[in-house]
Amino acid sequence: MTFEDFSVTGALYHVVSIIDLEKTLAEGIHFDDKITYFDKYYDFHNYFDKYRTDNIPYWVVRKKAIFASMNFKEDHNWHSHTALLKVKVDTKKCWVCNENKANILFEPFILQNIKGFEEAKKFIEEKGAKMVEEYWLDSLSMDENMRVRRDKEKGYDAEVLIFHDIPPEDIECLFIISDHSIMSPDKWLYYFNTELICPKSPAPKGIGCQKAVKFSMESTK
Protein backbone atom coordinates (compact mmCIF):
# COMPACT_ATOMS: atom_id res chain seq x y z
CA MET A 1 0.00 0.00 0.00
CA THR A 2 1.04 3.59 -0.62
CA PHE A 3 0.53 4.96 2.91
CA GLU A 4 0.72 3.73 6.47
CA ASP A 5 -2.31 1.76 7.61
CA PHE A 6 -5.32 3.34 9.32
CA SER A 7 -4.43 1.42 12.48
CA VAL A 8 -1.28 3.58 12.63
CA THR A 9 -2.47 6.93 11.30
CA GLY A 10 -6.16 6.95 12.26
CA ALA A 11 -6.70 8.80 8.97
CA LEU A 12 -8.53 8.30 5.68
CA TYR A 13 -7.82 9.85 2.28
CA HIS A 14 -10.11 12.11 0.26
CA VAL A 15 -9.46 13.48 -3.23
CA VAL A 16 -10.77 16.86 -4.40
CA SER A 17 -10.42 18.87 -7.58
CA ILE A 18 -7.96 21.72 -7.15
CA ILE A 19 -10.92 23.95 -8.06
CA ASP A 20 -12.52 22.91 -4.76
CA LEU A 21 -9.33 23.01 -2.69
CA GLU A 22 -9.46 26.59 -1.41
CA LYS A 23 -13.03 26.24 -0.16
CA THR A 24 -12.28 22.83 1.36
CA LEU A 25 -9.27 24.04 3.36
CA ALA A 26 -11.18 27.10 4.58
CA GLU A 27 -14.60 25.60 5.30
CA GLY A 28 -14.06 21.85 5.63
CA ILE A 29 -15.83 19.05 3.76
CA HIS A 30 -19.60 18.55 3.47
CA PHE A 31 -21.31 15.82 1.49
CA ASP A 32 -22.91 18.18 -1.06
CA ASP A 33 -20.28 20.90 -1.42
CA LYS A 34 -18.55 19.74 -4.63
CA ILE A 35 -19.21 21.50 -7.93
CA THR A 36 -20.10 18.18 -9.60
CA TYR A 37 -22.35 16.75 -6.87
CA PHE A 38 -25.83 17.49 -8.21
CA ASP A 39 -25.09 17.28 -11.94
CA LYS A 40 -23.00 14.09 -11.80
CA TYR A 41 -23.54 11.99 -8.71
CA TYR A 42 -26.83 12.72 -6.92
CA ASP A 43 -29.05 10.52 -9.11
CA PHE A 44 -26.49 7.69 -9.02
CA HIS A 45 -26.33 7.76 -5.22
CA ASN A 46 -30.10 7.99 -5.01
CA TYR A 47 -30.40 4.84 -7.13
CA PHE A 48 -28.24 2.96 -4.63
CA ASP A 49 -30.29 4.25 -1.70
CA LYS A 50 -33.45 2.98 -3.40
CA TYR A 51 -32.22 -0.61 -3.15
CA ARG A 52 -30.62 -0.59 0.30
CA THR A 53 -30.79 -3.96 2.04
CA ASP A 54 -31.98 -4.79 5.56
CA ASN A 55 -28.44 -4.94 6.99
CA ILE A 56 -27.94 -1.20 6.43
CA PRO A 57 -28.61 1.17 9.37
CA TYR A 58 -31.03 4.05 8.80
CA TRP A 59 -28.24 6.62 8.96
CA VAL A 60 -26.29 5.10 6.04
CA VAL A 61 -27.65 7.10 3.11
CA ARG A 62 -25.27 7.14 0.16
CA LYS A 63 -26.46 10.47 -1.22
CA LYS A 64 -25.50 12.09 2.11
CA ALA A 65 -22.02 10.55 2.35
CA ILE A 66 -18.54 11.96 2.04
CA PHE A 67 -16.39 9.38 0.23
CA ALA A 68 -12.88 8.47 1.30
CA SER A 69 -10.34 5.68 0.80
CA MET A 70 -8.61 3.46 3.34
CA ASN A 71 -5.44 3.39 1.26
CA PHE A 72 -4.10 3.18 -2.29
CA LYS A 73 -2.13 0.57 -4.17
CA GLU A 74 1.27 1.46 -5.60
CA ASP A 75 -0.12 1.38 -9.16
CA HIS A 76 -3.15 3.55 -8.38
CA ASN A 77 -4.23 5.74 -11.31
CA TRP A 78 -4.41 9.31 -10.02
CA HIS A 79 -6.55 11.96 -11.69
CA SER A 80 -4.69 15.08 -12.84
CA HIS A 81 -5.38 18.49 -11.29
CA THR A 82 -6.54 17.09 -7.97
CA ALA A 83 -5.38 17.30 -4.36
CA LEU A 84 -5.05 14.37 -1.99
CA LEU A 85 -6.25 15.14 1.53
CA LYS A 86 -5.65 13.26 4.77
CA VAL A 87 -8.73 13.46 6.99
CA LYS A 88 -9.62 12.45 10.54
CA VAL A 89 -13.01 10.79 11.06
CA ASP A 90 -15.34 9.39 13.70
CA THR A 91 -15.32 5.66 12.89
CA LYS A 92 -18.74 5.19 14.50
CA LYS A 93 -20.21 7.36 11.75
CA CYS A 94 -18.55 5.55 8.85
CA TRP A 95 -19.58 2.63 6.64
CA VAL A 96 -17.29 0.54 4.40
CA CYS A 97 -18.32 -0.76 0.96
CA ASN A 98 -16.62 -2.43 -2.00
CA GLU A 99 -16.19 0.34 -4.57
CA ASN A 100 -15.62 -2.21 -7.34
CA LYS A 101 -19.30 -3.17 -7.06
CA ALA A 102 -20.41 0.44 -7.49
CA ASN A 103 -18.02 1.49 -10.25
CA ILE A 104 -19.23 -1.19 -12.66
CA LEU A 105 -22.66 0.48 -12.64
CA PHE A 106 -21.59 4.10 -13.03
CA GLU A 107 -20.98 4.23 -16.79
CA PRO A 108 -24.13 2.35 -17.85
CA PHE A 109 -26.17 4.43 -15.39
CA ILE A 110 -24.89 7.67 -16.94
CA LEU A 111 -25.06 6.46 -20.55
CA GLN A 112 -28.47 4.75 -20.42
CA ASN A 113 -30.47 7.74 -21.64
CA ILE A 114 -28.12 8.68 -24.49
CA LYS A 115 -29.10 7.65 -28.00
CA GLY A 116 -26.94 4.82 -29.22
CA PHE A 117 -26.42 3.36 -25.74
CA GLU A 118 -29.70 1.49 -25.42
CA GLU A 119 -27.84 -1.61 -24.21
CA ALA A 120 -26.75 0.35 -21.14
CA LYS A 121 -30.40 1.02 -20.27
CA LYS A 122 -31.23 -2.66 -20.71
CA PHE A 123 -28.31 -3.59 -18.46
CA ILE A 124 -29.52 -1.27 -15.69
CA GLU A 125 -33.11 -2.47 -15.98
CA GLU A 126 -32.19 -6.15 -15.90
CA LYS A 127 -29.21 -6.26 -13.53
CA GLY A 128 -28.88 -2.92 -11.78
CA ALA A 129 -31.06 -3.50 -8.71
CA LYS A 130 -29.52 -6.91 -8.01
CA MET A 131 -25.99 -5.52 -8.27
CA VAL A 132 -26.83 -2.68 -5.89
CA GLU A 133 -28.21 -5.18 -3.40
CA GLU A 134 -24.95 -7.16 -3.62
CA TYR A 135 -23.04 -3.92 -2.99
CA TRP A 136 -24.94 -3.32 0.25
CA LEU A 137 -24.85 -6.94 1.41
CA ASP A 138 -21.08 -6.89 1.03
CA SER A 139 -20.70 -3.79 3.24
CA LEU A 140 -20.07 -3.34 6.95
CA SER A 141 -19.43 -0.71 9.63
CA MET A 142 -16.01 0.88 9.87
CA ASP A 143 -15.47 -0.53 13.36
CA GLU A 144 -16.35 -4.03 12.18
CA ASN A 145 -14.04 -3.67 9.21
CA MET A 146 -11.15 -2.79 11.52
CA ARG A 147 -11.74 -6.12 13.26
CA VAL A 148 -12.04 -8.31 10.16
CA ARG A 149 -10.17 -6.11 7.62
CA ARG A 150 -12.28 -6.68 4.53
CA ASP A 151 -10.36 -3.78 3.01
CA LYS A 152 -7.24 -5.95 2.86
CA GLU A 153 -8.94 -8.74 0.91
CA LYS A 154 -8.04 -9.17 -2.74
CA GLY A 155 -10.75 -7.66 -4.92
CA TYR A 156 -12.24 -5.57 -2.10
CA ASP A 157 -11.57 -1.93 -3.00
CA ALA A 158 -12.80 -0.30 0.18
CA GLU A 159 -14.58 3.02 -0.09
CA VAL A 160 -15.55 4.62 3.21
CA LEU A 161 -18.84 6.48 3.44
CA ILE A 162 -18.46 9.21 6.08
CA PHE A 163 -21.62 10.61 7.67
CA HIS A 164 -20.38 13.72 9.40
CA ASP A 165 -18.88 17.01 8.28
CA ILE A 166 -15.09 17.24 8.39
CA PRO A 167 -13.84 20.57 9.81
CA PRO A 168 -10.74 22.33 8.42
CA GLU A 169 -8.63 21.41 11.45
CA ASP A 170 -9.09 17.71 10.61
CA ILE A 171 -7.85 18.12 7.04
CA GLU A 172 -4.26 18.02 5.80
CA CYS A 173 -3.28 18.49 2.17
CA LEU A 174 -0.72 15.81 1.32
CA PHE A 175 -0.19 16.11 -2.43
CA ILE A 176 -1.00 18.17 -5.50
CA ILE A 177 -1.42 15.82 -8.46
CA SER A 178 -0.51 17.17 -11.90
CA ASP A 179 -0.34 15.53 -15.32
CA HIS A 180 3.10 14.02 -14.80
CA SER A 181 3.92 14.35 -11.11
CA ILE A 182 2.65 14.07 -7.54
CA MET A 183 4.15 16.64 -5.17
CA SER A 184 3.61 17.74 -1.59
CA PRO A 185 2.51 21.40 -1.28
CA ASP A 186 6.04 22.44 -0.26
CA LYS A 187 7.60 20.66 -3.21
CA TRP A 188 4.98 22.05 -5.61
CA LEU A 189 5.65 25.61 -4.43
CA TYR A 190 9.41 25.09 -4.74
CA TYR A 191 8.96 23.70 -8.26
CA PHE A 192 6.67 26.59 -9.17
CA ASN A 193 9.22 29.17 -8.02
CA THR A 194 12.39 27.50 -9.30
CA GLU A 195 11.26 25.85 -12.54
CA LEU A 196 8.41 28.01 -13.77
CA ILE A 197 9.05 31.53 -12.47
CA CYS A 198 12.85 31.66 -12.41
CA PRO A 199 14.24 28.42 -13.85
CA LYS A 200 17.84 29.66 -14.09
CA SER A 201 18.21 30.76 -10.48
CA PRO A 202 17.47 29.00 -7.16
CA ALA A 203 14.48 30.05 -5.15
CA PRO A 204 15.14 32.08 -1.99
CA LYS A 205 15.96 29.87 0.96
CA GLY A 206 12.87 28.60 2.75
CA ILE A 207 10.33 29.91 0.25
CA GLY A 208 8.47 26.57 0.08
CA CYS A 209 8.03 26.34 3.84
CA GLN A 210 7.02 30.00 4.20
CA LYS A 211 4.32 29.72 1.58
CA ALA A 212 3.21 26.34 2.89
CA VAL A 213 2.47 27.95 6.26
CA LYS A 214 0.49 30.67 4.50
CA PHE A 215 -1.66 28.03 2.79
CA SER A 216 -1.98 25.99 6.03
CA MET A 217 -0.54 22.94 4.31
CA GLU A 218 1.89 20.54 5.89
CA SER A 219 4.34 18.64 3.70
CA THR A 220 4.80 14.91 3.91
CA LYS A 221 8.40 13.80 4.24
Side-chain angles (χ1 to χ4, degrees):
M1 292 295 185
T2 304
F3 304 109
E4 286 187 295
D5 189 69
F6 181 87
S7 60
V8 177
T9 64
L12 299 174
Y13 303 95
H14 180 74
V15 178
V16 297
S17 165
I18 58 173
I19 295 172
D20 291 313
L21 183 59
E22 180 180 15
K23 183 175 185 292
T24 297
L25 293 176
E27 301 177 14
I29 304 171
H30 312 276
F31 77 89
D32 60 351
D33 61 359
K34 302 297 187 300
I35 292 172
T36 57
Y37 178 71
F38 286 103
D39 62 355
K40 251 188 174 182
Y41 298 113
Y42 182 84
D43 288 341
F44 184 64
H45 296 332
N46 201 44
Y47 181 74
F48 273 70
D49 289 333
K50 180 179 178 181
Y51 296 105
R52 286 193 312 164
T53 48
D54 292 340
N55 63 308
I56 306 302
Y58 73 92
W59 51 269
V60 175
V61 181
R62 187 178 164 96
K63 62 177 172 284
K64 294 184 178 181
I66 296 168
F67 290 81
S69 297
M70 294 284 295
N71 215 318
F72 300 95
K73 296 179 180 178
E74 295 293 342
D75 60 351
H76 181 76
N77 293 317
W78 299 97
H79 292 286
S80 297
H81 314 305
T82 58
L84 176 64
L85 309 178
K86 181 178 179 181
V87 299
K88 295 179 181 178
V89 299
D90 179 354
T91 60
K92 296 189 181 304
K93 296 180 180 179
C94 296
W95 200 258
V96 178
C97 303
N98 187 351
E99 187 176 6
N100 287 334
K101 292 190 174 183
N103 284 348
I104 195 171
L105 282 171
F106 185 70
E107 287 183 2
F109 185 85
I110 297 300
L111 295 172
Q112 63 178 318
N113 295 317
I114 300 176
K115 186 177 180 179
F117 292 92
E118 288 78 13
E119 288 299 315
K121 186 175 184 64
K122 182 179 179 182
F123 178 83
I124 291 296
E125 290 175 346
E126 293 181 355
K127 299 183 179 181
K130 180 63 176 176
M131 294 178 73
V132 171
E133 289 174 0
E134 291 176 358
Y135 167 86
W136 288 122
L137 289 170
D138 202 27
S139 68
L140 66 170
S141 71
M142 180 73 172
D143 286 341
E144 177 66 15
N145 179 71
M146 293 311 297
R147 289 191 287 272
V148 302
R149 298 313 301 256
R150 293 295 310 279
D151 64 291
K152 290 184 175 292
E153 294 179 10
K154 185 177 181 180
Y156 200 102
D157 186 9
E159 63 176 1
V160 183
L161 282 59
I162 304 166
F163 295 99
H164 64 81
D165 292 342
I166 304 173
E169 60 268 24
D170 288 341
I171 301 171
E172 176 187 348
C173 183
L174 293 181
F175 296 108
I176 302 298
I177 301 164
S178 302
D179 281 334
H180 304 295
S181 60
I182 301 175
M183 295 178 279
S184 68
D186 277 353
K187 289 181 180 178
W188 186 90
L189 289 164
Y190 180 79
Y191 165 79
F192 182 78
N193 281 282
T194 59
E195 300 297 328
L196 299 182
I197 294 179
C198 47
K200 293 185 179 180
S201 60
K205 185 177 180 181
I207 189 168
C209 293
Q210 291 168 5
K211 289 188 178 256
V213 171
K214 181 179 179 181
F215 279 86
S216 298
M217 296 178 180
E218 196 174 304
S219 66
T220 300
K221 306 301 183 185

